[in-house]
Amino acid sequence: MLTGFTAPLTPTGRSSLIPAPPWHYAAWIFTIEYELDPAVAGRFLPPELGRATGLASMNFTEWQVTSDGSELQDPAYAQYKESFVLIETELADGSHANFTPLIYVDQDLSMMRGWLQGLPKKLGSVWMTRSFGLDHFAAAPLQAGTRLGATLAVKDRRLAEARLRLTGEPGDKLGFFKLPTYGLVGFANLIEDPTPSRPRLVRHMSEGAVHGPYHAATAELQVFESPRDELYDLRPHRITRAATHTFAWTVARVFNPTASVIEREAIPA
């Protein structure tokens, strides 16, 4: 018998790319909220999610993830960096949500977990300033005046770069901390006649969230054109807010597509 949560399937299942959930995450994130062209943003939305409000956020995140704790002692399986865009939408009932149209990551394990959760992950290179929690210039202390940066590149082309400066004030909940977030799960089929994916809308769910303090920042964000990736279409017109903080949570499932639009529970704060 061959077994495993994902391919490759083997007699023990140990070679499976990722284990079954729950997956436990901890992260350090920069979130930059901005205004953009709502007509352009709306073209990236599935029809079930209504209309684009004209707000979006660019996010840069350094993650650590584990299933049973073993990855924490073999960090090549636990750590990765990621950048993604969230488009804010207004649903038919007037409430708001987020949708994830583009997301880039530097780990194959994370890419597979993302596809299963409705996150359209592609490989990219992400770098971001770390804060070491020390009162030293090189440690990027979390205090007024500290400067932080982040970059995203795909196929050796830089797609985005961000600069933040901490204000010393408490930050706001932005991005997927602010609103429920949705994605699309679907895979192309090569059996007999090849067919494209027929994605289903899913709601991302988390449990047991723990948050560090939010640190407000001013920010700059540049997005560059690419011959293949369409991130430039979602470029900012005006930065509205920015913040950074640490958090941790557990993911065990995604929500059914019909219920996910009807039963909206905020991500635990």
Side-chain angles (χ1 to χ4, degrees):
M1 177 181 289
L2 299 180
T3 187
F5 185 65
T6 64
L9 305 181
T10 64
T12 67
R14 190 173 70 249
S15 295
S16 181
L17 185 59
I18 56 170
W23 304 316
H24 309 285
Y25 296 85
W28 158 245
I29 187 169
F30 303 163
T31 300
I32 302 172
E33 184 185 79
Y34 62 89
E35 296 174 350
L36 77 170
D37 185 336
V40 173
R43 297 204 295 264
F44 287 80
L45 296 177
E48 303 95 318
L49 286 183
R51 68 170 193 89
T53 66
L55 280 181
S57 67
M58 186 77 180
N59 302 265
F60 299 88
T61 311
E62 185 167 14
W63 294 94
Q64 184 160 280
V65 59
T66 185
S67 54
D68 60 4
S70 60
E71 298 91 342
L72 301 180
Q73 294 184 307
D74 195 355
Y77 289 88
Q79 296 174 358
Y80 63 96
K81 295 190 289 292
E82 168 173 274
S83 181
F84 57 95
V85 175
L86 297 174
I87 297 173
E88 185 175 301
T89 75
E90 183 178 349
L91 305 179
D93 64 2
S95 63
H96 288 191
N98 289 317
F99 177 71
T100 314
L102 296 169
I103 180 167
Y104 302 90
V105 68
D106 62 7
Q107 257 274 27
D108 57 353
L109 292 84
S110 173
M111 189 160 64
M112 175 60 77
R113 279 192 298 264
W115 289 352
L116 294 174
Q117 295 177 74
L119 299 169
K121 297 192 180 189
K122 296 176 66 174
L123 287 177
S125 173
V126 179
W127 292 93
M128 53 192 295
T129 309
R130 292 173 177 159
S131 175
F132 289 87
L134 300 173
D135 187 13
H136 187 278
F137 184 66
L142 296 173
Q143 62 189 32
T146 292
R147 293 175 293 177
L148 308 169
T151 61
L152 164 66
V154 175
K155 303 297 184 187
D156 297 325
R157 294 183 176 92
R158 182 162 290 191
L159 295 191
E161 58 184 38
R163 296 182 180 88
L164 296 84
R165 183 185 288 267
L166 299 184
T167 67
E169 300 295 323
D172 297 319
K173 291 184 178 181
L174 305 174
F176 57 58
F177 309 107
K178 172 185 171 187
L179 295 169
T181 298
Y182 295 84
L184 293 172
V185 170
F187 294 90
N189 186 355
L190 292 180
I191 300 172
E192 297 178 355
D193 295 325
T195 55
S197 61
R198 296 174 180 171
R200 296 190 302 165
L201 190 71
V202 294
R203 162 72 193 284
H204 307 155
M205 302 298 294
S206 69
E207 303 168 0
V210 179
H211 291 268
Y214 292 76
H215 302 274
T218 59
E220 302 173 11
L221 174 63
Q222 288 183 280
V223 178
F224 306 107
E225 293 189 78
S226 162
R228 184 71 65 118
D229 289 272
E230 298 170 76
L231 183 62
Y232 184 73
D233 292 348
L234 299 174
R235 62 191 180 275
H237 289 184
R238 187 179 73 87
I239 305 297
T240 53
R241 294 180 293 178
T244 182
H245 87 295
T246 54
F247 66 96
W249 59 32
T250 295
V251 171
R253 63 192 174 106
V254 292
F255 225 44
N256 145 321
T258 302
S260 65
V261 176
I262 298 170
E263 300 178 36
R264 284 179 300 276
E265 302 172 4
I267 288 176

